[in-house]
Amino acid sequence: MSPTPPRITNVLVANRGEIARRVFATCRRMGIGTTAVYSDADAAAPHVSEADAAIRLPGNTPAETYLRGELIIEAALSAGADAIHPGYGFLSENAEFARAVLDAGLVWIGPPVAAIEQMGSKVESKKMMDAAGVPVLAELDPAEVTEAHLPVLIKASAGGGGRGMRVVRELSELQDQIAGAQREAESAFGDPTVFCERYLETGRHIEVQVMSDTFGKTWAVGERECSIQRRHQKVVEEAPSPLVEKIDGMRDRLFEAASLAAEAIGYEGAGTVEFLADEKGDFFFLEMNTRLQVEHPVTEQTTGLDLVRLQLQVASGLPLPATQPAQRGHSIEVRLYAEDPANDWQPQSGPVHKIEIPFTTGEFTVLEQPGVRLDTGVVDDSVVGVHYDPMLAKVISYAETRAEAAHLLATALQRAKIHGLVTNRDLLVRVLRHPAFLAGDTDTAFFVTHDLAALSAPLASDTDEALSIVAAALADSAANHAASRYTRLAPSGWRNLASLPQTKSYESRTSGTHEVRYRFTRTGVAVEGHEGLELISATPERVVLAVPGERGPVRRQFEIARYGDLVAVDSPLGPVAVRRLPRFTDPAEQVAAGSLLAPMPGSVIRLGAAEGDHVRQGQPILWLEAMKMEHTIAAPATGILSALNVTVGQQVEVGTVLAVVEEEEQEQA
């Protein structure tokens, strides 16, 4: 007599943010209860308030909280949850955690422990795949790497997501890079094991979604292309792959290899088999992720399947449906990060005052008609901290054709209101509109080939930014007028003497200081440097201008929002964010020339020089750890390190003066 399948009534998600909300959404649609866990830093996070019950994990860092398997299991038992979904990252591919979940009498919503163990070591998994007939790239023992092997890629054995990955092109750098990769891997996954493999400078990252039940049936659901990456972390993902679409027979070969991989380890549940492919259609096994992937929505959109629902059904002992759905349309997903691509992808932290994506027709759900889907871990007034990945949201388009999906997603992102943090939004829009992307030419060297500086440039041109700042000044004037106790009944800008121009100053992160000088007249407003500009209307939140053009004036609308000294201006011309400058500056707030300021909150983990040392431009002075990554703080010029204000282990806030380099005076010729 076969055992009775487990009935899942309440799911604890051993994760946070967007993936926790994603799993909860499906649970609600299935009538299943939900339990959240949260760190102190996440106490006010949306996934906490959305769950039926929430259990605190004391502390902030992953090592204190989301990597503490015993605390998570205890939380599930205390809340009455009978199943645990691991999400992705953290403990999602940790076999010991999966075993402990089962030993506690809970349902594990994931593959068998043995499958996790077999695929958990990327070194051993490649040997197994090779034996199963899946094409592989040979792994390299770090101790045996020679000049002939270069360049090589260091990878964390226990995880993914770009953590613990380093490209090494000089043998002299190998040991330092291995040590750095080990620290990142330990911080992100609790396991410092790394290995090396030959690094292919260009290639296509193609992966196949597999789904297997407990009755021996395996689906190769569909492929995704995830070639556009930064620091080996995916940025743009799509289904189906434009490369696979144009090469006869490649999809069949990929699906066969992925099915062989799943069957070789007796897989159950959702998993992804990742390959590196070339333009001829040849491919090599990279790894198998024994979990749900970040980019699973594009497969959901192009199959109509809810993959989380299938995970829950398989974990409950139910078979897969009799027939596999056919593919439909095209879907593209972008990862919206709080980061500055133009500044070495520097992660950002702080408040998200507003996040609003237009054309959104669904959240955490499969769309049946063309539109935009939003999967996000933040809402208005959320705060992005320094302890976790800085991804704000996944924005996913679905349409009949690839070109339509790209156009829809680019327009939605350009018109999105994202206030408070620097993000990669402008870069994403430029990628989606780039001729190479639209032609399907998307290899892993995309950002090298197509000039990262140009791709990360602001969407608003210099002229359009200046016009947006004029709108900000006029909206500020309207706000001041509305708030005045004495002159709100008089016309805006009224003076009892002939007035001088009013002046407002703003600072743009990319173009410096802007000074707007304007005068209100009997017929409207005159703005210096903008002859012929006509003010149609101005309120504190909305300004309409008639902009002179070759064929006559063009009416433009600008929406303005203020958060302290931050002013966000949104219009179809492109988003603009500036800081309103005070009329007078405090000399005490000035910092010495050559000061190295902390670009983000973080922890000092290493020092590369001592006070009084002679340093050269670009030389590492110290390393900060923030958002599970190491960030190098380098000397801005050659000179003397005259001050070093931090020690190893010290926590610093953004803007802290870490060190000062006194630049050497150039000898006169």
Side-chain angles (χ1 to χ4, degrees), residues 318-368:
L318 298 175
L320 290 172
T323 57
Q324 184 173 334
Q327 291 208 344
R328 58 179 203 175
H330 200 97
S331 183
I332 304 174
E333 171 182 303
V334 295
R335 302 190 192 185
L336 182 66
Y337 283 104
E339 66 181 9
D340 185 357
N343 191 16
D344 195 28
W345 306 98
Q346 191 177 96
Q348 308 290 301
S349 61
V352 180
H353 298 301
K354 188 176 188 63
I355 179 166
E356 181 182 297
I357 312 294
F359 316 140
T360 296
T361 52
E363 295 186 10
F364 306 110
T365 190
V366 179
L367 305 182
E368 296 302 327

Side-chain angles (χ1 to χ4, degrees), residues 201-206 224-229 236-238 240-244 246 276-279 330 332 402 431-432 434-447 449-450:
E201 295 283 1
T202 61
R204 299 292 195 103
H205 188 117
I206 312 292
R224 300 183 285 258
E225 180 156 344
C226 314
S227 299
I228 298 182
Q229 304 178 6
V236 182
E237 302 112 340
E238 59 181 309
S241 159
L243 176 68
V244 175
K246 70 181 182 181
L276 187 65
D278 62 24
E279 295 296 329
H330 200 97
I332 304 174
R402 184 174 185 269
V431 168
L432 292 167
H434 197 282
F437 178 84
L438 295 173
D441 297 333
T442 55
D443 63 29
T444 53
F446 192 90
F447 290 134
T449 305
H450 298 294

Side-chain angles (χ1 to χ4, degrees), residues 506-546:
Y506 301 87
E507 184 177 51
S508 164
R509 185 178 57 86
T510 56
S511 59
T513 300
H514 292 250
E515 189 174 82
V516 181
R517 295 170 60 84
Y518 61 96
R519 287 186 304 110
F520 286 99
T521 69
R522 294 181 182 276
T523 58
V525 67
V527 183
E528 292 186 8
H530 294 269
E531 286 70 22
L533 187 69
E534 181 183 355
L535 174 61
I536 305 300
S537 64
T539 70
E541 294 79 29
R542 186 170 177 269
V543 170
V544 181
L545 300 173

Side-chain angles (χ1 to χ4, degrees), residues 90-107:
F90 295 135
L91 294 171
S92 62
E93 295 178 280
N94 187 303
E96 291 182 9
F97 177 59
R99 183 179 290 111
V101 169
L102 295 169
D103 289 346
L106 300 168
V107 177

